[in-house]
Amino acid sequence: MGAVQKLATTVIVGLVALATLLVVYLANEPNRREAEAAAQQQVAIERGVQTYIQNCVVCHGPAGEGFTEPGAQGTGRVGLPLGGFTEAGLAATERNQSTNPSDVQARHDLIVNTLNNGRGLMPAFGSGAPGGPLLNQEQVNELALMIQHVNWNQVYNATIEADGGFPTPPPAAAPAGGAEKTPPAAAQTAPGEFTITSHDIFFDPKELTIPANQDVVIHLPNEGAAPHNFSIDALKVSVDQAPGETDLSTTINAAPGDYEYYCNVPGHKEAGMVGTLKVVEGAAVPAAAAPAEGGATEAGQAAAQEFTVTSHDIYFDPKDLTIPANQDVTLHLPNEGAAPHNFSIDALQISVDQAPGETDLTATVNAAPGTYDFYCNVPGHKEAGMVGTLTAEEGAAAPVAEAATPAEGAAEAEQAAAPTAAQEFTVTSHDIFFDPKELTIPAGQEVTVHLPNEGAAPHTFSIDALKVSVDQAPGETDVQTSINAPAGTYEYYCNVPGHKEAGMVGTLTAQ
């Protein structure tokens, strides 16, 4: 019996120990599952970071600060802030990474929907992308999870490591004595050779004509900070371009016709990185362009006919300009914006870079009768509305009071500010500016201000001192507000995060 009792005691002790271990294990199960879920979430976030680096850095920056990124002037950041450490970036982080349970799922759904279908200037990357998704749903969800939980320092450091240095070096300083004309990108480098340069995010030139039915070499340097690609599907051409790679080329022998070339990096084509190759029988190989006609000149070489086009953040003033045809005309090109800009007319081979605040730039134009598009070639600025039309007409009169002064733009601003009816005014919202930026109304009486939004993004019209705040949906035109203000000056601005900082602000004067 002693042996049996001993065995029974051993069995009981073993069972008690096993039960104790089971209780401890079960008690710790929630912690184990939580730790496992946290580990899986961290892996998903890290994959989301890699997807962000490959697809989003160009527009939103390494720290997620978009166009508010310090030192981003000239880099073409066009994305809204997602996070980071600017004022707008911190506000975005607070919204995106809210810990309020009711906000978390709603924010996740908004981010996923934006990634899938696009929003404003942002193209669709997921299920709503034309031609099929660029990111699968798992990647979309991981990217949304990353935006909602990531430490943006982690993203910044990962971007630096992946790039081998800061992902967007600052642009080279303008040479002394004023801007120089950018050489035509299509200028031949040897007989039968052409160049198409990749930037963040555009091709230069966007249109190229080559001779048909003969071998043509196209050099494909990538001067951007992001990887790009040069593809022509109809000719089975696809060349990957690493950041800064300059020794790439492809040989093309094509039948007459028009061929689309584009960057196949997800989102880049949708953001405007596309162009047209025109193949023409007997097309001449272009001679190197002479730098005299249409180039930027030193300030002071003013011609008899002088006009002014002023660059702001982000628009030209005026947007329409008429000049006399077939004679030298001097265009003064001051930049009154806080960001670098550019004045380009592709058809006239004009490209003038404008540093912030630079006022002594000019370009000489001698154009045949016709209409010509001018635009800012800083990535994203043309798409945001920084474009205009130059009309060259036989016998067009020279400006009178406006010559060589900013008065031309001011006159247009006054015209825009004029009442549209008795005591009615209009301030139009664009992406991302108000027109006009200055408005004068009578003091001490009620006036109606019409507030159409001609932009692709939502905006607001706010005057804190008068307790005015009007939301404007994209394309909404029937919005207005009534104002009765004492004499004084009042700031109006768009309170959508980042828009005021990007220059969407103006002054209301009641007198």
Side-chain angles (χ1 to χ4, degrees):
M1 288 296 293
V4 173
Q5 287 178 343
K6 200 173 196 179
L7 178 61
T9 301
T10 301
V11 170
I12 291 171
V13 170
L15 290 173
V16 170
L18 183 60
T20 302
L21 288 174
L22 182 60
V23 169
V24 170
Y25 177 82
L26 292 175
N28 191 55
E29 179 66 5
N31 293 332
R32 187 188 66 80
R33 289 184 178 180
E34 184 177 336
E36 183 178 349
Q40 291 174 345
Q41 177 173 289
Q42 185 57 38
V43 170
I45 289 173
E46 289 172 359
R47 287 199 297 261
V49 170
Q50 294 307 310
T51 301
Y52 179 89
I53 291 172
Q54 294 167 13
N55 298 276
C56 312
V57 164
V58 169
C59 291
H60 293 281
E65 292 158 341
F67 59 75
T68 69
E69 174 190 308
Q73 293 180 347
T75 63
R77 302 280 191 243
V78 294
L80 291 174
L82 300 173
F85 306 98
T86 62
E87 180 180 353
L90 291 171
T93 300
E94 184 176 353
R95 291 192 306 275
N96 290 328
Q97 300 189 2
S98 170
T99 57
N100 186 327
S102 63
D103 293 340
V104 173
Q105 187 60 47
R107 200 69 192 173
H108 179 83
D109 293 344
L110 174 63
I111 296 171
V112 167
N113 182 65
T114 300
L115 290 168
N116 275 329
N117 301 305
R119 183 182 179 191
L121 293 176
M122 176 177 165
F125 281 79
S127 57
L134 304 169
L135 300 177
N136 61 42
Q137 207 54 45
E138 182 180 9
Q139 290 172 308
V140 168
N141 287 328
E142 289 171 348
L143 200 48
L145 186 69
M146 182 217 89
I147 292 170
Q148 287 189 281
H149 295 279
V150 79
N151 180 329
W152 283 98
N153 278 325
Q154 175 190 346
V155 184
Y156 181 88
N157 292 334
T159 306
I160 300 297
E161 182 179 356
D163 185 75
F166 192 77
T168 316
E180 296 179 349
K181 180 180 178 296
T182 302
Q188 69 184 93
T189 55
E193 298 190 8
F194 300 77
T195 298
I196 298 177
T197 304
S198 295
H199 299 269
D200 300 330
I201 300 177
F202 65 100
F203 288 115
D204 184 14
K206 293 187 72 172
E207 188 173 297
L208 178 66
T209 301
I210 64 171
N213 298 316
Q214 60 180 279
D215 283 348
V216 170
V217 175
I218 299 182
H219 296 275
L220 300 168
N222 178 9
E223 295 186 0
H228 293 297
N229 166 279
F230 178 86
S231 289
I232 305 176
D233 292 343
L235 301 178
K236 297 182 179 179
V237 172
S238 182
V239 180
D240 292 329
Q241 306 162 300
E245 192 168 12
T246 59
D247 57 353
L248 297 171
S249 64
T250 189
T251 300
I252 292 176
N253 190 320
D258 289 351
Y259 302 85
E260 178 186 72
Y261 55 87
Y262 67 97
C263 175
N264 72 12
V265 173
H268 289 198
K269 179 180 179 181
E270 293 75 9
M273 200 163 180
V274 64
T276 302
L277 180 72
K278 294 181 176 292
V279 183
V280 179
E281 286 281 8
V285 176
E293 183 176 306
T297 64
E298 296 281 350
Q301 293 178 326
Q305 306 269 25
E306 300 190 4
F307 298 78
T308 298
V309 178
T310 304
S311 294
H312 299 270
D313 301 329
I314 299 177
Y315 66 99
F316 288 114
D317 185 11
K319 294 185 70 172
D320 295 291
L321 179 65
T322 300
I323 64 170
N326 296 319
Q327 60 181 280
D328 282 349
V329 170
T330 297
L331 296 183
H332 295 270
L333 302 169
N335 178 10
E336 295 187 1
H341 293 297
N342 167 280
F343 180 88
S344 289
I345 305 177
D346 292 343
L348 301 178
Q349 296 185 335
I350 291 174
S351 182
V352 181
D353 293 328
Q354 305 161 303
E358 193 167 12
T359 59
D360 59 351
L361 297 172
T362 63
T364 301
V365 177
N366 191 320
T371 58
Y372 304 86
D373 289 335
F374 58 87
Y375 67 97
C376 176
N377 73 13
V378 174
H381 289 197
K382 179 180 179 182
E383 293 76 6
M386 199 162 179
V387 64
T389 303
L390 177 75
T391 303
E393 292 183 354
E394 290 283 4
V400 183
E402 298 92 340
T405 74
E408 185 174 12
E412 286 204 359
E414 289 176 7
Q415 183 179 2
T420 58
Q423 304 306 315
E424 296 190 9
F425 301 79
T426 298
V427 178
T428 305
S429 294
H430 299 270
D431 300 328
I432 299 178
F433 65 97
F434 287 116
D435 183 16
K437 292 186 74 172
E438 295 184 5
L439 178 66
T440 300
I441 65 172
Q445 56 184 282
E446 190 165 300
V447 300
T448 298
V449 180
H450 297 274
L451 301 167
N453 178 9
E454 295 186 1
H459 295 296
T460 77
F461 178 86
S462 295
I463 306 176
D464 292 342
L466 301 177
K467 297 182 179 179
V468 171
S469 184
V470 180
D471 293 329
Q472 305 160 299
E476 192 169 14
T477 58
D478 58 353
V479 180
Q480 64 185 42
T481 188
S482 294
I483 295 176
N484 190 324
T489 58
Y490 304 87
E491 178 185 74
Y492 56 88
Y493 68 97
C494 176
N495 72 14
V496 173
H499 288 199
K500 179 180 179 181
E501 293 78 2
M504 200 163 178
V505 64
T507 302
L508 175 76
T509 302
Q511 63 182 29

